[in-house]
C-alpha cells in the first residue's frame, strides 16, 4: 500500500456576501453577492476539493516491513511443520507400525519421548499466537482474557492426544478453516452492518471471563503465552539433543551381516532422527530470527515510530503483526502481504469488543490526521459506507468509558468531511446530523429542554469528560459539511441543531475582554460563527429558509451585538459576526429585526469609523461598511434609525478616505433613495459631498466610479441649479466635462458589465438629472452622441441590470424603474429640446 501526502486546509471558508458581485463567480461558487471592493475579498472555494497538479511522491507504508517479516517467519514455520509432520508419519507408520516389535528398548522410548515432545511443542506452538493476541489487550479484573481461546485450546488438546493414541498425525494450524483467525473479530458484511452492539450486557465478553479468580498471575494471557513459548524452546532443545545423540552414536542394537530387516530398521531410524533434528533446528532458527528482529532490531517499535501512532500504538502494531503472521501460517503464506493498517483498523472498528474498537479507532484517527497517510486513509474510509455508518454511530456513545472511541470517531469524520464527495456520503447516512448534534453540549439553557436529558447528565456529571473537545469537533464537522449546498439544508432541517450552533456564538463581556481567556472558548465561538455564516450565505430557496430560521432564533442578533461591542481584541470574531448580519440582511424580515435590535447599527458605525484600528484589521471596517449598506438597502425604518444616529456628516467625510469611500457612497446613496420624502431636510447635508463625488467620477474607474455616479444622481436632486453650479466650481470641473465623461462610459461599456453591472443605469440617471436641471446640457449631450449610445443600451439591456443584489444567480431587490424606462425618459428629453 502506497500512500501519498496531502495537505488538508482546515482554515475558515471565506463566504462573503457581495452586492452585484461578479456573476460568473456566482455560478461557480453558489455565493450570495454584494458589491466587492477588491478582488482580495473574493472567496476561493475551490481549495477544499481541488487536486494539486504537482505529483506527490508515493510513500512506502511502514507496515510492509511487518508483513514481509511475517512472510519469512511463516516460510520457516511451514517448513518446520512440514518436516515435523513427515517425521510424525514416519514414526507412526514405518517405525512403530513396521518395526515396533524389533526396536531396541532404548530406541522405542526415545522415539516415544520425541513424539510426545513434538506433540507438546506442536500443541503449544499452535496456540501460543492466540495467547499472544490476547496479551495485547488491557485486562479488566483478573482472569483469562479469551474464553474462545480456552475452548479451542481444550478441543485441540483432545485432538492431539487422540492422534498420538491412534497413531494419526496431528497437523498444526490446519485444524479448522472456520477458526482461521485467532482474534475474536466481527468482520463487516452488509447484512449485519446495522446490528452492531457496543457491549454485551447479558453474556460474557472475551475480556472479562473469570475462569480461575484465585490464580490471577498464572492465568493472565501474557503469562500463559510466555509459558507456551518456553515450553516450545525446551521441547525443541530436548529434541535436538536426543536426535544428535542417536545420530552420533548409532547405537540401534546389533545388526548382523545379511540381516536385511535390521539394516532397514537402522536406515529408518536415521531418517526419523534426521527429520526430527531438521525440524527442531528450523524451529530454533525461526525463534532466533524472531528474537533478532523483534528484540534486538526493535522492528515493532520502528514501525510504530514511522506510523506516528505514539506510545499506545505499540499495542496496535503488535496486534497487526500477529494477525498478519496468523494469516500467513493458517492460509497461503502470501495472505499476510495483502494486509494494511487501514483495512485492519476498519475491521477492528466493527468488532463487538470495546478493546478492538478502541485500537481500530486510534489507528484510523492517527492516520487521518497524518499528512503522509491521510489521503489514502480517507479514500479507503470514504468508499466504505459501512465504516462511515459505524463512525457516525459511535458519535452517540456517551458513556465516559467510551470517550476516547467517540473522540477518535469525531476526529476521523472531521477529516473525512473535508472532501466534497465524502461529505455528501456522511450527510447522506440516516441520522447523521442527529449524531453530530449529539456532540454539541452546553450548560446554557437558551436551547430549551433537550430530548436526551439523561444522556446529557451522564456527561456533565463526569468531571473529566472532554465536552469542550467534542463541541469543537462537532462544530468542525458541521463547518466542513456546510461547504455543500445540500448539506446546509439538512443542517437547517435537523431538529434543535440550529439553536445549539447559535448558542455557542454567545460570548459575554468577561470572556471577550479577559486577557487570560482560554483559546478553547474563543475557538468554540469562532467555529460556531463560521458555521452560522456559511448557512446564512447559502443561495436559493434553501438559503431563504436558513436565513429566516437563523434570524428567528432570539439570541442570534444579540449574541453578535455583544461580539461587536466587546470584541475589540478579537477582530476575526467581529468580522464573522458582521458577515452574518450582511447575509441575513438579504431577507426583509431579518433586516428589520437587525435594525430593531438596540445598538447593532451604532456598533457597526463605531467599527466603520474607528481610526485607531491596526492596519491588518481594516478588513473589519470594510465588512462593517458592507453590512450597513445592506441594512440601509430598501429599508425605510433602518434609514430613519441611521439618520437618528447623526452620522451623515461623518459619512460625507469618509468619502475622502480611500478605505471607506466605496461603502460610504453606498450607504449615502441608500439613505437618499429609501429614507422617504419626510427626511429630505435631514439629508441636505449630503450636498457637501458633491465636489468629492464629481472629482471621483472624472478621475476614478470601475467600482468606485460606479458608486460615485450612483450617489451623484441622488445628491444633485437636493440642489437647485444655482447650488449645483457652485458645487461644480468647487470641484474645478465644468458640467460639459461630466457630460462627456458619461457618454464615454456608455461607449466603454456597450454590454452589461459583470464587475460593474449598474454603471450604465447610474450614468443614464445622472444624465437625465443634468438635462432636467439645465436645458443647455441637453444640447451638450446631443453633440456628444448620447442618443446613439442610448439606442445601443436599449438593444443590449439584460436582466442583470435590473437588480441591486443577487443570491447566487438569482436577482434580489429589483429596481423600481427598469433600464428601458430610463432610456425612454432620456430619449424623450433629447427630443423635446
Amino acid at each position: 500500500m502506497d500512500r501519498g501526502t496531502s495537505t488538508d486546509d482546515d482554515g475558515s471558508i471565506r463566504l462573503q456576501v457581495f452586492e452585484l458581485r461578479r456573476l460568473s463567480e456566482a455560478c461557480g461558487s453558489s455565493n450570495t453577492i454584494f458589491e466587492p471592493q477588491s478582488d482580495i475579498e473574493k472567496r476561493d472555494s475551490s481549495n477544499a476539493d481541488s487536486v494539486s497538479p504537482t505529483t506527490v511522491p508515493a510513500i512506502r507504508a511502514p507496515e510492509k516491513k511487518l508483513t514481509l517479516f511475517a512472510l519469512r517467519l511463516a516460510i520457516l514455520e511451514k517448513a518446520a511443520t512440514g518436516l515435523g509432520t513427515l517425521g510424525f508419519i514416519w514414526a507412526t507408520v514405518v517405525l512403530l507400525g513396521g518395526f515396533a516389535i524389533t526396536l531396541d528398548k532404548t530406541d522405542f522410548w526415545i522415539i516415544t519421548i520425541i513424539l510426545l515432545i513434538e506433540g507438546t511443542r506442536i500443541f503449544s506452538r499452535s496456540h501460543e499466537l492466540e495467547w499472544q493476541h490476547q496479551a495485547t489487550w488491557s485486562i479488566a479484573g483478573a482472569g483469562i482474557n479469551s474464553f474462545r481461546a480456552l475452548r479451542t485450546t481444550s478441543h485441540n488438546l483432545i485432538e492431539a492426544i487422540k492422534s498420538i493414541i491412534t497413531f494419526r498425525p496431528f497437523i498444526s494450524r490446519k485444524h479448522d478453516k472456520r477458526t482461521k483467525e485467532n482474534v475474536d473479530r466481527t468482520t463487516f458484511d452488509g447484512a449485519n452492518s446495522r446490528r452492531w452492539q457496543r457491549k454485551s450486557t447479558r453474556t460474557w465478553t472475551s475480556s472479562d471471563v473469570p475462569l480461575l479468580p484465585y490464580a490471577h498471575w498464572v492465568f493472565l494471557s501474557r503469562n500463559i503465552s510466555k509459558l507456551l513459548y518456553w515450553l516450545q524452546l525446551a521441547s525443541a532443545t530436548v529434541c535436538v539433543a536426543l536426535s544428535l545423540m542417536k545420530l552420533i552414536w548409532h547405537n540401534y542394537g546389533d545388526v548382523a551381516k545379511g540381516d536385511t530387516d535390521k539394516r532397514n530398521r537402522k536406515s529408518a531410524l536415521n531418517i526419523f532422527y534426521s527429520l526430527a533434528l531438521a525440524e527442531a533446528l528450523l524451529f530454533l532458527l525461526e525463534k532466533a530470527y524472531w528474537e533478532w528482529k523483534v528484540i534486538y532490531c526493535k522492528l515493532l517499535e520502528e514501525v510504530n515510530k514511522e506510523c506516528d501512532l505514539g506510545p499506545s500504538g505499540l499495542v496496535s502494531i503488535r496486534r497487526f503483526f500477529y494477525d498478519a503472521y496468523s494469516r500467513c501460517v493458517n492460509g497461503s503464506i502470501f495472505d499476510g502481504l495483502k494486509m494494511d493498517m487501514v483495512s485492519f483498523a476498519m475491521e477492528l472498528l466493527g468488532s463487538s469488543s470495546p478493546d478492538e474498537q478502541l485500537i481500530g479507532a486510534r489507528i484510523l484517527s492517527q492516520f487521518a490526521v497524518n499528512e503522509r497517510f491521510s489521503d489514502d486513509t480517507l479514500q479507503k474510509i470514504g468508499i466504505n459506507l459501512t465504516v462511515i455508518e459505524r463512525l457516525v454511530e459511535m458519535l452517540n456513545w456517551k458513556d465516559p468509558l467510551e470517550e476516547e472511541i467517540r473522540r477518535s470517531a469525531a476526529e476521523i469524520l472531521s477529516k473525512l468531511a473535508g472532501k466534497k464527495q465524502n461529505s455528501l456520503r456522511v450527510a447522506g447516512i440516516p441520522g447523521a446530523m442527529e449524531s453530530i448534534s449529539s456532540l454539541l453540549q452546553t450548560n446554557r439553557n437558551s436551547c430549551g429542554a433537550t430530548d436526551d436529558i439523561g444522556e446529557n447528565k451522564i456527561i456533565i456529571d463526569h468531571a473529566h469528560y472532554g465536552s469542550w473537545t467534542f463541541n469543537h469537533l462537532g462544530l468542525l464537522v458541521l463547518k466542513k459539511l456546510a461547504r455543500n449546498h445540500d448539506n446546509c439544508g439538512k443542517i437547517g432541517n435537523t431538529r434543535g441543531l440550529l439553536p445549539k450552533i447559535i448558542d455557542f456564538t454567545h460570548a459575554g463581556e468577561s470572556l471577550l475582554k479577559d486577557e487570560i481567556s482560554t483559546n478553547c472558548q474563543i475557538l468554540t465561538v469562532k467555529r460556531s460563527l463560521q458555521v452560522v455564516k456559511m448557512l446564512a450565505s447559502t443561495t436559493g430557496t434553501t438559503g431563504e429558509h436558513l436565513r429566516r430560521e437563523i434570524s428567528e432564533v432570539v439570541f442570534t442578533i444579540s449574541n453578535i451585538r455583544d461580539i461587536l461591542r466587546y470584541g475589540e481584541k478579537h477582530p476575526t470574531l467581529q468580522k464573522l459576526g458582521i458577515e452574518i448580519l450582511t447575509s441575513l440582511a438579504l431577507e426583509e424580515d431579518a433586516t428589520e429585526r437587525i435594525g430593531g435590535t438596540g445598538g447593532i447599527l451604532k456598533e457597526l458605525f463605531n467599527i466603520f469609523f474607528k481610526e485607531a484600528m491596526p492596519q491588518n484589521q481594516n478588513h473589519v471596517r470594510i465588512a462593517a461598511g458592507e453590512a450597513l449598506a445592506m441594512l440601509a438597502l430598501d429599508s425605510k425604518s433602518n434609514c430613519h434609525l441611521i439618520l437618528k444616529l447623526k452620522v451623515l456628516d461623518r459619512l460625507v467625510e469618509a468619502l475622502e478616505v480611500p478605505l471607506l469611500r466605496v461603502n460610504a457612497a453606498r450607504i449615502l446613496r441608500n439613505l437618499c433613495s429609501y429614507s422617504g420624502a419626510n427626511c429630505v431636510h435631514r439629508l441636505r447635508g449630503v450636498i457637501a459631498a458633491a465636489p468629492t463625488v464629481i472629482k471621483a467620477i472624472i478621475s476614478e474607474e470601475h467600482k468606485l466610479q460606479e458608486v460615485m455616479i450612483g450617489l451623484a444622481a441622488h445628491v444633485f436632486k437636493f440642489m437647485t441649479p444655482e447650488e449645483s453650479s457652485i458645487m461644480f466650481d468647487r470641484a474645478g470641473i465644468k458640467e460639459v466635462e461630466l457630460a462627456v465623461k458619461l457618454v464615454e462610459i456608455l461607449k466603454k461599456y456597450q454590454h452589461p458589465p459583470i464587475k460593474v453591472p449598474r454603471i450604465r443605469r447610474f450614468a443614464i440617471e445622472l444624465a437625465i438629472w443634468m438635462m432636467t436641471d439645465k436645458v443647455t446640457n441637453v444640447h451638450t449631450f446631443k453633440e456628444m452622441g448620447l442618443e446613439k449610445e442610448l439606442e445601443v443600451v436599449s438593444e443590449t439591456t439584460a436582466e442583470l441590470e435590473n437588480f441591486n443584489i443577487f443570491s447566487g444567480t438569482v436577482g434580489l431587490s429589483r429596481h423600481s424603474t427598469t433600464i428601458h424606462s430610463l432610456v425612454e425618459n432620456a430619449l424623450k428629453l433629447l427630443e423635446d429640446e
Side-chain angles (χ1 to χ4, degrees), residues 365-409:
S365 177
Q366 290 293 330
F367 276 25
V369 301
N370 190 300
E371 286 188 358
R372 295 183 298 158
F373 309 138
S374 61
D375 269 358
D376 180 79
T377 302
L378 296 176
Q379 182 183 18
K380 283 181 176 290
I381 298 174
I383 61 177
N384 195 324
L385 287 178
T386 308
V387 177
I388 300 177
E389 288 179 2
R390 181 61 156 170
L391 292 169
V392 170
E393 177 196 347
M394 287 176 169
L395 300 183
N396 296 300
W397 296 3
K398 298 183 179 182
D399 190 329
L401 296 177
E402 298 169 328
E403 178 182 359
E404 186 176 356
I405 297 177
R406 188 185 188 212
R407 182 175 64 250
S408 297

Side-chain angles (χ1 to χ4, degrees), residues 455-484:
E455 293 181 335
N456 287 346
K457 190 174 186 299
I458 290 176
I459 294 176
I460 295 172
D461 288 350
H462 196 275
H464 302 292
Y465 198 87
S467 298
W468 281 109
T469 300
F470 289 112
N471 291 337
H472 294 161
L473 290 171
L475 291 170
L476 181 59
V477 173
L478 289 172
K479 185 179 80 169
K480 293 186 176 181
L481 291 178
R483 293 173 179 173
N484 180 269

Side-chain angles (χ1 to χ4, degrees), residues 479-677:
K479 185 179 80 169
K480 293 186 176 181
L481 291 178
R483 293 173 179 173
N484 180 269
H485 181 276
D486 294 333
N487 291 346
C488 289
K490 293 177 181 178
I491 293 172
N493 292 329
T494 302
R495 183 171 177 265
L497 182 53
L498 264 181
K500 274 188 178 182
I501 298 170
I502 293 170
D503 195 47
F504 283 108
T505 65
H506 172 73
E509 180 180 3
S510 58
L511 174 63
L512 294 172
K513 289 188 173 182
D514 191 357
E515 295 286 350
I516 57 174
S517 59
T518 62
N519 291 331
C520 178
Q521 294 171 295
I522 297 299
L523 179 61
T524 300
V525 177
K526 178 183 176 181
R527 284 185 176 169
S528 59
L529 288 171
Q530 288 172 333
V531 175
V532 175
K533 171 191 167 185
M534 297 172 80
L535 297 176
S537 60
T538 306
T539 60
T541 306
T542 301
E544 293 178 11
H545 171 73
L546 284 170
R547 286 188 286 273
R548 183 170 60 253
E549 291 289 327
I550 292 170
S551 62
E552 287 177 354
V553 176
V554 294
F555 298 99
T556 303
I557 301 172
S558 59
N559 285 352
I560 294 175
R561 178 186 59 192
D562 291 342
I563 293 172
L564 299 183
R565 182 172 293 168
Y566 307 118
E568 182 179 357
K569 296 178 181 178
H570 304 282
T572 302
L573 301 184
Q574 287 186 323
K575 185 171 184 288
L576 288 170
I578 291 169
E579 289 170 341
I580 292 170
L581 296 178
T582 308
S583 296
L584 293 179
L586 289 171
E587 305 302 321
E588 182 178 352
D589 291 342
T591 301
E592 301 305 317
R593 285 194 181 95
I594 295 170
T597 301
I600 283 286
L601 294 174
K602 180 180 178 181
E603 296 302 331
L604 287 172
F605 273 113
N606 288 341
I607 294 173
F608 183 63
F609 292 129
K610 189 173 182 179
E611 297 179 358
M613 189 171 289
Q615 190 73 20
N616 59 353
Q617 297 179 13
N618 285 334
H619 60 280
V620 182
R621 299 177 70 186
I622 295 172
E626 291 177 350
L628 288 166
M630 280 294 294
L631 291 170
L633 178 66
D634 204 13
S635 175
K636 186 175 182 179
S637 61
N638 283 349
C639 288
H640 288 174
L641 290 171
I642 291 173
L643 290 175
K644 287 181 180 179
L645 294 175
K646 299 179 180 180
V647 294
L648 194 65
D649 292 339
R650 298 189 67 182
L651 285 171
V652 172
E653 294 173 2
L655 294 175
E656 302 283 353
V657 182
L659 181 70
L660 307 179
R661 53 187 179 177
V662 169
N663 287 318
R666 291 171 179 165
I667 298 169
L668 287 171
R669 180 186 177 277
N670 290 338
L671 288 175
C672 295
S673 299
Y674 304 109
S675 293

